[in-house]
Amino acid sequence: MTRLEEYLRSARDRAFVGRAAEMGAFRSALAGDAVFTVLYLHGAGGTGKTTLLRRYAVEAERGRRQVIRVDRFEPGGMIPALLAAIPPAPEGAAGPVVLLDEFEHWQPVEWWLREEFLPGLPVGTVVVLASRTPPGFEWTADPGWNEVLRVHEVGDLSPTEAEMLLDRYAVPRRRQRFLAELAGGNPLALRLAVEAAGTGKDDDEIRLWLAQAVVQEVVGELPSAAHRHALEICAYAETTTEMLLRATVAEGDAVDLFRWLCSLPYAECGANGVRVRPFVRNAVRTELQWRDPLRHEAVLAPLAEGAPLGEPLPRPEFDVAVRDALRAWRRPDLLAGNPLVHSRMVIASEAAAEPVTALRDVLQSTLETLGEDPRQGKQHRALIATYLGGAPTQEAAAERLGLPFSTYRRHLNRGLEVLCSLLWRRESTGLDLI
């Protein structure tokens, strides 16, 4: 191994965090827990599939296994290249470890690979297929492949894992929350945010630089203007449905566009529709607002009017969402899923391009309004001590304020009532003054 190879491997080892399930599955396959194993990794661009393949190669080499790495080839050369890459295994030797990256590009020869090539490999061979898209029904519905195929979605890092990664890049703690909120746990976005922060860019420059990189590297080229419009709508709406697309995207077929959105590797489909992951949503919003402010307003206008978002939250659910947001103040992953990130007051705020930051700004500015009223001083202090001051429990908050617990609870409950009323007024009328 050359010195450069040693340096590259060492740097990659330091930057590797998490992925316990994926590593456990691969080690189990290497150990021979199954006579033949195919691991199918899928996930959005930048989630670390290629990084995992490199890690698998290191693990296999340490176990003295033959490693065969096959990347993307042009359609006409895929079969010969793959056949040439795998020489006959010596008699009695363990089967090779075959790693195929960018498997979404192998679709022209996927049938041959599944039905002819893979079944002909020696027993004990471990194959890893890494793709942006999940396996089709031809894999998962086949009783034979169902026995040996293991599918893992490579998702975003957890908040703890993201913090570990930022620590390994020596990012100061005071900057970590901002970068983590922008990147949303996506490893590539996190590394790009770290790179941008290291060049001395300010927050707005980092936000735009990261948005442009995500749009280019993760979103990539889109099939048509209608697809781009559908993605923009999906980036702004809480959830997107076929009905919403029919009402907002005039130039495309709503059925096809909805199915396309559901197929995106960075989209999540649920009972209420489809939504894109936070780091893509942030990027699409920021890049559009910078590139074409008039189009940004045109996309946002029908959403702000309520058409695509459906009915606004009823007041009881609105109050619950406010309390949940306060409890999740230090958890951007939870705040990103709070219904208030798609409320009118948040969309209309200056920081709307980054919904978690915008929601925090709205809550904090409304708390400041509450604190400016001398009649609400005790209630304001109770709210700050409980939610923003880092007190681990309500008892600890009461102790910090030097109040009996019953008195503290009375101030806190009254403060929550007033805060919810102020926010409701801001949501329904645009006014945020007492």
Side-chain angles (χ1 to χ4, degrees):
M1 184 185 299
T2 66
R3 292 189 63 185
L4 178 57
E5 290 173 332
E6 293 174 355
Y7 176 82
L8 292 173
R9 178 170 293 185
S10 176
R12 289 166 179 163
D13 285 345
R14 289 195 304 272
F16 187 85
V17 298
R19 308 308 186 199
E22 292 85 352
M23 292 304 301
F26 182 72
R27 287 166 180 159
S28 177
L30 282 183
D33 293 346
V35 293
F36 186 89
T37 302
V38 175
L39 299 181
Y40 195 113
L41 308 177
H42 68 95
T47 52
K49 300 181 295 296
T50 299
T51 299
L52 267 170
L53 292 187
R54 290 195 185 110
R55 192 76 171 190
Y56 288 170
V58 173
E59 293 269 334
E61 289 168 356
R62 288 172 180 167
R64 300 185 180 279
R65 298 288 290 270
Q66 180 188 19
V67 176
I68 300 161
R69 177 75 182 270
V70 185
D71 294 314
R72 178 184 177 186
F73 292 95
E74 293 303 316
M78 286 178 172
I79 292 178
L82 188 56
L83 292 173
I86 304 180
E91 187 69 28
V97 174
V98 183
L99 309 174
L100 272 67
D101 205 357
E102 298 189 5
F103 187 63
E104 66 271 16
H105 297 296
W106 288 73
Q107 193 274 334
V109 296
E110 187 174 336
W111 183 93
W112 169 82
L113 189 85
R114 183 180 60 252
E115 303 297 332
E116 296 187 14
F117 177 73
L118 292 180
L121 292 176
V123 171
T125 298
V126 176
V127 178
V128 183
L129 311 176
S131 173
R132 291 194 175 195
T133 58
F137 291 116
E138 298 85 357
W139 294 93
T140 57
D142 184 288
W145 280 112
N146 190 53
E147 289 290 322
V148 297
L149 184 71
R150 303 294 180 266
V151 180
H152 288 265
E153 181 178 5
V154 184
D156 294 335
L157 298 175
S158 70
T160 300
E161 291 167 344
E163 183 179 306
M164 289 174 58
L165 182 61
L166 293 174
D167 281 340
R168 294 188 182 182
Y169 282 112
V171 177
R173 286 297 176 95
R174 68 180 183 277
R175 300 286 290 151
Q176 288 192 8
R177 189 176 76 177
F178 169 70
L179 299 182
E181 287 173 358
L182 285 182
N186 180 267
L188 173 63
L190 280 166
R191 289 194 291 270
L192 291 172
V194 170
E195 179 183 343
T199 63
K201 291 180 171 65
D202 62 28
D203 287 358
D204 289 338
E205 291 172 327
I206 292 173
R207 184 180 287 111
L208 176 58
W209 190 86
L210 179 59
Q212 292 171 326
V214 169
V215 168
Q216 178 178 340
E217 299 296 331
V218 178
V219 175
E221 293 293 326
L222 299 178
S224 70
H227 290 82
R228 181 172 297 280
H229 193 181
L231 179 61
E232 291 166 352
I233 292 294
C234 197
Y236 281 92
E238 180 176 354
T239 54
T240 299
T241 63
E242 184 181 315
M243 183 182 299
L244 165 57
L245 294 175
R246 190 176 295 112
T248 56
V249 184
E251 65 270 29
D253 181 85
V255 176
D256 291 341
L257 292 174
F258 182 74
R259 289 174 178 169
W260 173 76
L261 285 174
C262 290
S263 72
L264 294 174
Y266 47 81
E268 299 170 343
C269 297
N272 297 323
V274 61
R275 62 187 301 177
V276 293
R277 290 185 177 176
F279 80 101
V280 175
R281 183 172 65 241
N282 297 342
V284 171
R285 290 180 176 187
T286 301
E287 196 265 349
L288 177 60
Q289 189 171 15
W290 165 80
R291 174 172 50 84
D292 192 342
L294 292 179
R295 181 168 178 80
H296 160 77
E297 294 296 333
V299 172
L300 185 59
L303 300 178
E305 292 169 3
L309 293 175
E311 293 297 320
L313 283 176
R315 177 62 191 272
E317 294 180 22
F318 181 87
D319 289 358
V320 170
V322 171
R323 294 167 187 258
D324 288 344
L326 290 170
R327 295 189 192 101
W329 184 263
R330 299 178 184 277
R331 289 287 305 275
D333 57 320
L334 297 180
L335 284 174
N338 190 289
L340 294 180
V341 298
H342 305 292
S343 62
R344 298 185 186 192
M345 62 184 182
V346 169
I347 291 174
S349 70
E350 294 182 358
E354 207 297 294
V356 170
T357 299
L359 175 56
R360 281 199 177 115
D361 287 348
V362 167
L363 291 173
Q364 194 154 20
S365 63
T366 309
L367 278 167
E368 290 171 358
T369 299
L370 183 93
E372 292 169 359
D373 183 353
R375 299 168 298 175
Q376 306 295 341
K378 295 177 181 178
Q379 290 80 6
H380 176 257
R381 288 191 292 273
L383 288 169
I384 295 297
T386 304
Y387 299 113
L388 277 65
T393 64
Q394 290 191 354
E395 289 78 5
E399 185 176 349
R400 288 184 184 181
L401 294 170
L403 295 173
F405 187 70
S406 59
T407 304
Y408 154 80
R409 285 284 298 174
R410 185 170 67 252
H411 293 332
L412 178 64
N413 289 335
R414 176 57 183 161
L416 286 169
E417 292 175 5
V418 176
L419 179 65
C420 288
S421 295
L422 289 173
L423 287 167
W424 179 254
R425 184 180 182 189
R426 186 169 182 172
E427 174 73 2
S428 57
T429 69
L431 301 175
D432 59 351
L433 299 176
I434 294 179

